[in-house]
């Protein structure tokens, strides 16, 4: 914890600050209690955000969908179509460049969607699929109008490439949402080490050795809990990003 007098870091069990020599015996329990309350409030805020999203969808579905369309879906699709026009139509560059751009463009929109609306993973996946479907259809439409060809894929291979491209865009959007969850929600909660760790983390900490004091055991359990809470989103970001890159570049590189 931080000393309330000099703001230097001291051990949780310290009763005197080693930096300013001020007595912490009285203020330490108050500080720990405040931090525990802050952690509980953070958890309650997450629940309130989820409830607000569900109520908004039930009470004002048209308004909410319009907000999603104007803030996330529309701008992302337009940027993807602009990238397609400039890279493929205007400058006749390699499709690989377009696929790489399509793996990058949706990410900030996924981040913005979480920051602005606190959307969950399922909602992000749905929005990503909508963005991917509209963008791929728009690209096919542009090519069909310019080259006077059918906008509908002609065989199974073309259908597979279109679906994989759509999935790549959707996974890129999902990557942004999971990344925002990690940065704005998971990491800040793991930085605070004052709330009590769960029973699983305490049990794991005891298995690693019981020859530590109560505070030492709590810190060890908290570190274990922080790692387990952070591992899921980190793996989610890696998996979603890898999936976006693989499905986006698969047909271009003939993997």
């Amino acid at each position: 914890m931080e000393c309330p007098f000099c703001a230097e870091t001291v051990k949780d069990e310290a009763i005197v600050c080693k930096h300013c020599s001020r007595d912490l015996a009285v203020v330490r329990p108050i500080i720990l209690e405040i931090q525990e309350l802050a952690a509980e409030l953070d958890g309650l805020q997450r629940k309130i955000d989820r409830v607000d999203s569900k109520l908004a969808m039930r009470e004002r579905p048209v308004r909410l969908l319009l907000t999603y369309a104007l803030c996330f879906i529309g701008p992302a699709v337009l940027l993807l179509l602009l990238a397609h026009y400039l890279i493929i139509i205007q400058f006749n560059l390699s499709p690989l460049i377009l696929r790489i751009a399509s793996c990058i463009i949706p990410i900030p929109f996924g981040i913005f969607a979480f920051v602005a609306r606190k959307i969950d993973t399922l909602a992000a996946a749905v929005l990503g699929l909508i963005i991917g479907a509209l963008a791929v259809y728009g690209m096919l439409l542009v090519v069909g109008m310019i080259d006077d060809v059918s906008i509908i894929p002609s065989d199974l291979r073309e259908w597979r490439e279109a679906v994989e491209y759509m999935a790549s865009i959707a996974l890129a959007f999902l990557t942004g949402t999971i990344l925002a969850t990690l940065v704005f929600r998971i990491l800040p909660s793991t930085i605070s080490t004052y709330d009590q760790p769960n029973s699983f983390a305490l049990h794991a900490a005891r298995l690693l050795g019981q020859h530590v004091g109560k505070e030492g055991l709590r810190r060890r359990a908290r570190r274990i809990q922080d790692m387990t809470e952070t591992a899921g989103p980190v793996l989610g970001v890696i998996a979603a990003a890898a999936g976006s890159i693989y499905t986006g570049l698969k047909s271009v590189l003939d993997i």
Side-chain angles (χ1 to χ4, degrees), residues 1-25 27-28 31-32 193-194 215 218-219:
M1 70 177 184
E2 284 189 355
C3 173
F5 303 106
C6 66
E8 294 287 348
T9 302
V10 295
K11 293 183 178 179
D12 290 348
E13 61 268 24
I15 59 175
V16 176
C17 177
K18 65 178 181 180
H19 303 283
C20 66
S21 302
R22 299 292 293 270
D23 186 6
L24 302 177
V27 299
R28 178 174 168 273
I31 295 173
L32 295 178
T193 59
Y194 300 103
E215 291 296 334
R218 188 190 69 82
R219 287 199 303 271

Side-chain angles (χ1 to χ4, degrees), residues 67-192:
T67 300
Y68 285 164
L70 293 177
C71 295
F72 315 129
I73 299 175
V77 172
L78 288 176
L79 275 181
L80 288 166
L81 292 177
L82 179 62
H84 172 261
Y85 177 79
L86 293 176
I87 295 172
I88 302 299
I89 307 300
Q90 184 70 25
F91 298 107
N92 194 26
L93 301 177
S94 170
L96 178 62
I97 300 176
L98 174 63
R99 295 302 181 95
I100 294 175
S102 299
C103 292
I104 297 174
I105 291 174
I107 292 178
F109 290 97
I111 295 173
F112 178 51
F114 176 83
V115 173
R117 302 298 306 182
K118 298 297 187 297
I119 65 172
D120 57 17
T121 303
L122 179 59
V126 173
L127 286 178
L129 287 173
I130 294 174
I131 292 171
L134 291 176
V136 172
Y137 176 78
M139 294 175 190
L140 292 173
L141 183 61
V142 170
V143 173
M145 293 174 59
I146 294 176
D147 295 341
D148 194 21
V149 296
S150 174
I151 64 173
I152 300 176
S154 59
D155 54 32
L156 182 61
R157 179 178 179 180
E158 290 185 358
W159 273 107
R160 186 187 65 197
E161 290 180 356
V163 171
E164 289 175 348
Y165 194 10
M166 179 183 68
S168 174
I169 294 172
L171 287 171
F173 185 87
L174 183 61
T175 299
T177 304
I178 300 176
L179 182 61
T181 304
L182 177 65
V183 173
F184 294 104
R185 175 168 290 175
I186 304 299
L187 290 182
S189 66
T190 60
I191 292 174
S192 174

Side-chain angles (χ1 to χ4, degrees), residues 230-244:
T230 308
V234 169
L235 292 176
V237 170
I238 295 173
S244 175

